[in-house]
Amino acid sequence: MSSTTLAPGQALDALLRGNRRFVAGTPDHPNQDAARRAELAPAQKPFAVLLGCSDSRLAAEIIFDQGLGDLFVVRTAGHVLGPEVLGSIEYGTSVLDCRLVVVLGHDSCGAVAAARAAVEEGLSATGYVRDVVERVTPSVLAARAAGLTSDSDFIDAHIRHTVDLLLDRSRVLADQVAAGHTGVVGLAYQLAEGNARLVTAHGIPTAASSSAPIGRALPA
């Protein structure tokens, strides 16, 4: 990507195009050479913030076929939120002027599975893993209350919950979205297929988000 600031819809399109190259096995591997490294040494200007799960199979620059300086990445197990995560995301949009924030979840997520086990079987984690599980539990409870049962539905519910929580807790980001400056989307990554599916979107023009199928919504 160039250093030109991309609008939210343009940034999303760039990510989805890169993901299609990755799925097809024809990645460009952009911005990964010595010239790019030297260009970025004085300053960075990524075009999107990505909050993803820490899962080792979810390397954002690879699955979206991006390079050095393209993405401002924050990763936690189960993409759970805390003050340091919120501050990092706000830094990406306010200081680095990224116009798109992506919450990236995936199938077979261990954090979601652990939260389901805690709710359904009474199996609790220990240490700080328990804190992660407790932060995912509201998503599991919401999905169960809606009558959902499949793994993909629980993953989608947690992605939506993270996006909603992000906008609820970060007044800075919510104001940027309301002003039309920034977009926030949730994507679900399929480990075997390699594709990223759009689950939810805020502040993104319909035309920009139509290039990927939107996941099933929770019943009202």
Side-chain angles (χ1 to χ4, degrees), residues 36-216:
R36 177 65 166 178
R37 185 177 69 238
E39 175 191 350
L40 290 173
Q44 63 172 320
K45 191 170 177 55
F47 70 89
V49 177
L50 192 141
L51 169 61
C53 180
S54 296
D55 193 291
S56 61
R57 299 163 291 183
L58 214 67
E61 287 88 354
I62 294 176
I63 66 177
F64 292 111
D65 193 27
Q66 303 300 321
L68 293 172
D70 290 332
L71 302 178
F72 189 72
V73 180
V74 183
R75 297 176 68 180
T76 63
H79 50 80
V80 298
L81 294 175
E84 65 286 346
V85 174
L86 292 167
S88 297
I89 292 171
E90 289 183 358
Y91 181 86
T93 61
S94 300
V95 178
L96 300 178
D97 197 30
C98 296
R99 305 288 298 278
L100 178 70
V101 176
V102 177
V103 173
L104 181 65
H106 64 98
D107 58 346
S108 301
C109 178
V112 174
R116 291 187 69 178
V119 170
E120 298 169 2
E121 304 169 33
L123 301 177
S124 60
T126 59
Y128 283 103
V129 175
R130 182 174 181 177
D131 181 69
V132 173
V133 172
E134 289 176 348
R135 295 189 193 202
V136 179
T137 298
S139 302
V140 170
L141 293 174
R144 282 170 55 85
L148 304 180
T149 58
S150 72
D151 176 68
S152 63
D153 286 336
F154 275 83
I155 296 300
D156 287 3
H158 183 46
I159 292 169
R160 288 192 183 88
H161 178 74
T162 303
V163 169
D164 292 344
L165 198 60
L166 179 56
L167 291 170
D168 180 66
R169 290 189 176 177
S170 173
R171 177 50 49 194
V172 169
L173 183 59
D175 288 345
Q176 290 170 344
V177 172
H181 179 273
T182 306
V184 181
V185 301
L187 300 178
Y189 179 72
Q190 312 300 311
L191 293 172
E193 295 83 0
N195 65 291
R197 171 175 53 84
L198 185 64
V199 174
T200 185
H202 298 262
I204 301 289
T206 303
S209 62
S210 63
S211 54
I214 297 180
R216 174 177 162 191

